[in-house]
């Protein structure tokens, strides 16, 4: 009873207790909530400058998740494969700068997870509408795999699949809600992961979608 009361209080605090998912990955429930209004206003501006789009995989499939980026580098996929690029292929211009509110949130989360020197140069913005999903994959296109990834969930809840180093390792299922942050690095950095198909629903601030931000040190 007392323990439940304290963990509920921690979930609403600006610095929730980190929950370990496995060595190297921590879940910070609700950590983004204090910044949510600034973050959502800044994201609107970013998505006006660099609109969400469905990228094509190297095998020619259209991704169900729509994406854009901000920061010095952006993750892109096309028939040539995956890479980080300093300009938006839709406009030919540099990606929008990373807004202060996003950088502040990413650094606060990394620090809470023990990575006080994290300085992201890329933020990938993923938009899921009902039915959109992300298959199991590894994030291995970043130069320094010693740097963590900070992943922020906004809008509708989703189930994050979190596996091991091998594609065949059976993944854990972690429910993620609006405001939750996962920080992921060290021995978990190359673990396979994905997102199950988004269920129908309407979020009070974001409507029928989930937005995920992943902050990386890519260059
Ligand atoms: C998502 N996230 O949550 C997709 N990758 O929409 C990722 O692919 C991801 O959350 C690396 C580290 C954390 C992540
Ligand atoms: Fe990923």
């Amino acid at each position: 009873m007392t323990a439940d009361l304290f963990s509920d209080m921690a979930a609403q605090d600006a610095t929730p207790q980190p929950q370990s998912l496995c060595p190297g990955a921590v879940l910070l429930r609700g950590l983004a909530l204090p910044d949510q209004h600034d973050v959502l206003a800044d994201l609107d501006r970013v998505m006006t400058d660099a609109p969400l789009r469905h990228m094509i995989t190297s095998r020619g499939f259209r991704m169900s998740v729509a994406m854009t980026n901000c920061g010095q580098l952006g993750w892109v996929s096309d028939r040539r494969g995956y890479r980080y690029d300093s300009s938006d292929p839709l406009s030919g211009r540099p990606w929008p700068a990373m807004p202060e509110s996003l950088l502040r949130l990413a650094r606060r989360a990394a620090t809470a997870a023990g990575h006080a020197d994290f300085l992201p140069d890329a933020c990938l913005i993923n938009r899921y509408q009902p039915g959109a999903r992300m298959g199991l994959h590894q994030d291995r296109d970043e130069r320094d795999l010693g740097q963590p990834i900070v992943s922020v969930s906004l809008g509708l809840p989703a189930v994050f699949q979190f596996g091991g180093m091998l594609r065949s390792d059976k993944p854990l299922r972690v429910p993620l809600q609006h405001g939750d942050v996962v920080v992921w690095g060290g021995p978990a950095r190359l673990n396979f992961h994905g997102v199950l198909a988004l269920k129908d629903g309407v979020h009070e601030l974001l409507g029928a979608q989930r937005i995920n931000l992943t902050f990386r040190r890519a260059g």
Side-chain angles (χ1 to χ4, degrees), residues 46-61:
V46 166
M47 293 187 292
T48 301
D49 281 7
L52 291 163
R53 80 291 307 260
H54 294 272
M55 295 191 194
I56 306 295
T57 67
S58 57
R59 294 176 170 189
F61 296 108

Side-chain angles (χ1 to χ4, degrees), residues 42-43 45-47 49-50 68-76 84-89 91 93-100 102-103 106 119-125 213-219:
D42 284 336
L43 277 177
R45 286 187 276 271
V46 166
M47 293 187 292
D49 281 7
T68 188
N69 294 276
C70 62
Q72 281 152 252
L73 291 171
W75 187 89
V76 294
Y84 283 96
D85 203 313
S86 58
S87 57
D88 177 351
S91 66
R93 288 185 282 119
W95 295 104
M98 195 182 302
E100 270 298 315
L102 271 68
L103 183 62
L119 250 190
D121 58 8
C123 174
L124 171 62
I125 300 164
L213 311 175
T214 49
F215 296 90
R216 302 120 189 272
R217 181 88 206 168

Side-chain angles (χ1 to χ4, degrees), residues 137 139 193 216:
H137 66 277
D139 286 28
H193 57 280
R216 302 120 189 272

Side-chain angles (χ1 to χ4, degrees), residues 65 124 126 128 134-135 137-139 149-153 158 160 176 182-184 189 191 193-195 210-214 216:
V65 178
L124 171 62
N126 289 153
Y128 297 71
M134 183 153 328
H137 66 277
Q138 290 172 298
D139 286 28
I149 296 180
V150 171
S151 170
V152 177
S153 292
F160 192 55
L176 294 179
V182 178
V183 181
W184 168 304
R189 185 61 179 73
N191 284 17
H193 57 280
V195 178
R210 167 177 185 258
I211 301 230
N212 171 259
L213 311 175
T214 49
R216 302 120 189 272

